[in-house]
Amino acid sequence: MRVVIAGAGAVGRSIAGELLENGHEVLLIDNAPEAVAVERVPEAEWLLADACEIATLDEAALERCQVVIAASGDDKVNLVVSLLAKTEYGVPRVVARVNNPKNEWLFNDAWGVDVAVSTPRLMSALVEEAVSVGDLVRLLRFSQGEASLVELTLPQGAALVGTRVGEVAWPQDTALVTIIRGVKVLIPDPDDALAAGDELLFVAAPAREAQLQALLSPRPPKEGQKNTG
């Protein structure tokens, strides 16, 4: 797979290193001479140029790319690169970094963004995920299709504890994609029984998140019984 990364700072270089280790072809673009440090990622191609210029993207041969990653530290640059990649070159997958959470609403398919990654939001979500049991945590938003990756740790007393995956009437536009049980990562099978403490990862439409939260919540206390939890 050929990947172009706009922005050769610490984030861009780190992504490039991971992709190269996985056998992909990577081109890094940056217009700052000090950022073009070939010795840091020698296996990558490098281009010293402005990624917001059509001439640069022509030179980078974006029409041959399967993925473009807009990873600069400037949200305006990332939006322009995303829009050009999608509309001018038809790149199948465009991933964009969101630096300022206030700008997150802009990073959608109207700007050519398939997946928006907000580092501050992701970090706060991971903190929530680490300390929250029984609360739905949004980890990542997929702009195209308006879906999110959400996580919930199934609490003790949840109505679905002991229920088989195939027997659950999941909300519409919701898919259980992974069960993390201890150190094991499980691909959900209809015969798998859910257990307290399972970390459940879903791809779900935002409009279905409240239904999903209600479905996975602990059982309400019986009439006349105090809720001590």
Side-chain angles (χ1 to χ4, degrees):
M1 181 172 68
R2 187 166 190 271
V3 182
V4 166
I5 301 174
V11 173
R13 293 195 305 271
S14 177
I15 297 169
E18 291 284 340
L19 291 171
L20 287 162
E21 284 184 11
N22 291 327
H24 301 296
E25 179 185 347
V26 176
L27 168 64
L28 282 157
I29 304 175
D30 207 296
N31 63 353
E34 63 275 14
V36 180
V38 178
E39 69 281 357
R40 295 185 181 181
V41 194
E43 301 87 354
E45 299 176 59
W46 289 80
L47 182 58
L48 175 61
D50 186 349
C52 293
E53 297 288 340
I54 289 288
T56 299
L57 302 182
D58 283 344
E59 185 176 353
L62 248 66
E63 70 278 359
R64 296 196 292 108
C65 290
Q66 286 73 50
V67 179
V68 164
I69 301 173
S72 83
D74 187 326
D75 285 345
K76 296 188 295 295
V77 169
N78 292 341
L79 286 170
V80 170
V81 169
S82 298
L83 185 62
L84 291 174
K86 185 65 71 175
T87 59
E88 297 296 323
Y89 299 90
V91 176
R93 193 71 165 168
V94 178
V95 179
R97 173 188 177 188
V98 185
N99 296 278
N100 186 342
K102 292 181 179 179
N103 296 331
E104 191 173 0
W105 66 277
L106 288 166
F107 286 74
N108 54 37
D109 55 356
W111 279 91
V113 179
D114 295 309
V115 179
V117 181
S118 171
T119 303
R121 182 176 294 278
L122 182 57
M123 291 180 69
S124 65
L126 291 172
V127 170
E128 289 183 54
E129 185 271 335
V131 300
S132 300
V133 174
D135 291 327
L136 202 68
V137 177
R138 185 181 297 175
L139 298 177
L140 189 65
R141 179 175 60 84
F142 302 100
S143 298
Q144 195 171 46
E146 296 190 359
S148 300
L149 179 67
V150 297
E151 184 272 350
L152 184 140
T153 299
L154 199 61
Q156 292 282 353
L160 293 184
V161 169
T163 305
R164 293 182 180 182
V165 170
E167 297 173 347
V168 180
W170 301 111
Q172 188 178 0
D173 302 324
T174 300
L176 174 62
V177 293
T178 305
I179 300 172
I180 302 174
R181 183 173 293 162
V183 297
K184 295 182 179 179
V185 177
L186 308 176
I187 298 174
D189 184 274
D191 290 329
D192 288 335
L194 299 174
D198 281 353
E199 291 184 52
L200 308 178
L201 294 177
F202 297 88
V203 174
R208 304 297 180 185
E209 290 179 10
Q211 293 175 253
L212 190 58
Q213 171 79 66
L215 181 66
L216 298 168
S217 294
R219 296 181 180 90
K222 294 180 182 179
E223 189 175 347
Q225 178 183 354
K226 292 183 178 179
N227 186 350
T228 58

